Amino acid sequence: MGRRLAPLTLDNLSDLPKRCRACVFWELDPVSGEAAVRAGRPELEKEAWISAVLLEWGSCGRIVYVDDVPAGFVLYAPPAYVPRSLAFPTSPVSADAVQLMTAWINPGYQGQGLGRVMVQTVAKDVLRRGFRAIEAFGDGRWKAPACVLPAEHLTAVGFKTVRPHPTYPRLRLELRTTLSWKEDVELALDRLLGAVQKEPALRPL
């Protein structure tokens, strides 16, 4: 079974689930987001947001493919590009962190470690760009797939709560610890996240 992770671009945006292509929950503030939905243009706003972030900051997501079939994705960006984050009671995201916005794995591919691999890939990318951490708002009362990730899932891959809240805690994954970082970054991240050895076919970009 071949697996690969590809940077999100306008060319492969169509590989996201349809509901996610038309979702601007994180990309716009609440008022602008509602206006975009009422005007019937959320997909255009999504494309415009991705295009702007690509031009100004670079790739803001990864899509994971299994045998060339889209199996999941992750979106992330510095908090300045994520207007919705300011609407959360535990905001703001720290200036030294990139925000993990959302992620999704097709139910048929869950339980295969793809979520952990996506977090590792984001972590390596964030480190290369000079950030110290990844932060995310978790849903402490998560019941079903939504734009906000379940807090329990975030803690399972190494995030720690930095600002508690019964519904929307803010969590943080430190990328530079007291461990020696003279080792290969990938090995250090494997240790940090408690990951099992990845399959040889898996080559995160």
Side-chain angles (χ1 to χ4, degrees):
M1 181 169 60
R3 303 180 186 180
R4 64 184 176 90
L5 278 91
L8 176 66
T9 67
L10 293 177
D11 293 332
N12 60 13
L13 178 59
S14 61
D15 287 340
L16 267 58
K18 182 174 178 58
R19 68 178 184 279
C20 299
R21 294 199 303 271
C23 177
V24 288
F25 178 85
W26 290 110
E27 293 84 354
L28 298 175
D29 64 79
V31 174
S32 299
E34 291 175 7
V37 171
R38 286 197 305 269
R41 61 173 197 273
E43 290 192 30
L44 293 176
E45 294 286 356
K46 184 92 163 190
E47 290 182 9
W49 182 86
I50 291 174
S51 179
V53 178
L54 282 169
L55 287 171
E56 298 173 11
W57 188 66
S59 180
C60 54
R62 291 291 189 275
I63 301 178
V64 59
Y65 296 89
V66 177
D67 292 335
D68 292 326
V69 176
F73 75 93
V74 58
L75 281 176
Y76 55 98
Y81 292 100
V82 192
R84 172 73 68 153
S85 66
L86 294 176
F88 279 75
T90 50
S91 67
V93 171
S94 303
D96 64 350
V98 163
Q99 182 181 342
L100 176 62
M101 297 160 58
T102 193
W104 177 84
I105 297 175
N106 186 306
Y109 296 96
Q110 292 176 3
Q112 300 180 20
L114 295 181
R116 186 179 297 276
V117 169
M118 287 198 297
V119 171
Q120 287 179 323
T121 303
V122 174
K124 285 190 287 185
D125 185 36
V126 167
L127 272 175
R128 283 196 296 265
R129 299 189 197 205
F131 290 86
R132 296 180 54 194
I134 301 170
E135 291 191 1
F137 297 102
D139 186 344
R141 300 174 179 173
W142 188 87
K143 299 296 183 183
C147 298
V148 183
L149 296 170
E152 184 178 357
H153 171 75
L154 292 167
T155 57
V157 294
F159 282 77
K160 306 294 183 186
T161 301
V162 291
R163 190 165 178 193
H165 188 272
T167 305
Y168 295 120
R170 178 159 52 89
L171 302 99
R172 181 178 173 97
L173 179 66
E174 295 285 352
L175 301 180
R176 298 192 181 278
T177 69
T178 54
L179 296 174
S180 169
W181 280 81
K182 296 179 181 179
E183 307 169 67
D184 178 81
V185 170
E186 183 170 349
L187 293 177
L189 282 168
D190 282 349
R191 180 178 295 109
L192 178 64
L193 298 175
V196 297
Q197 184 174 352
K198 295 188 287 291
E199 296 183 22
L202 181 60
R203 298 188 301 276
L205 299 177

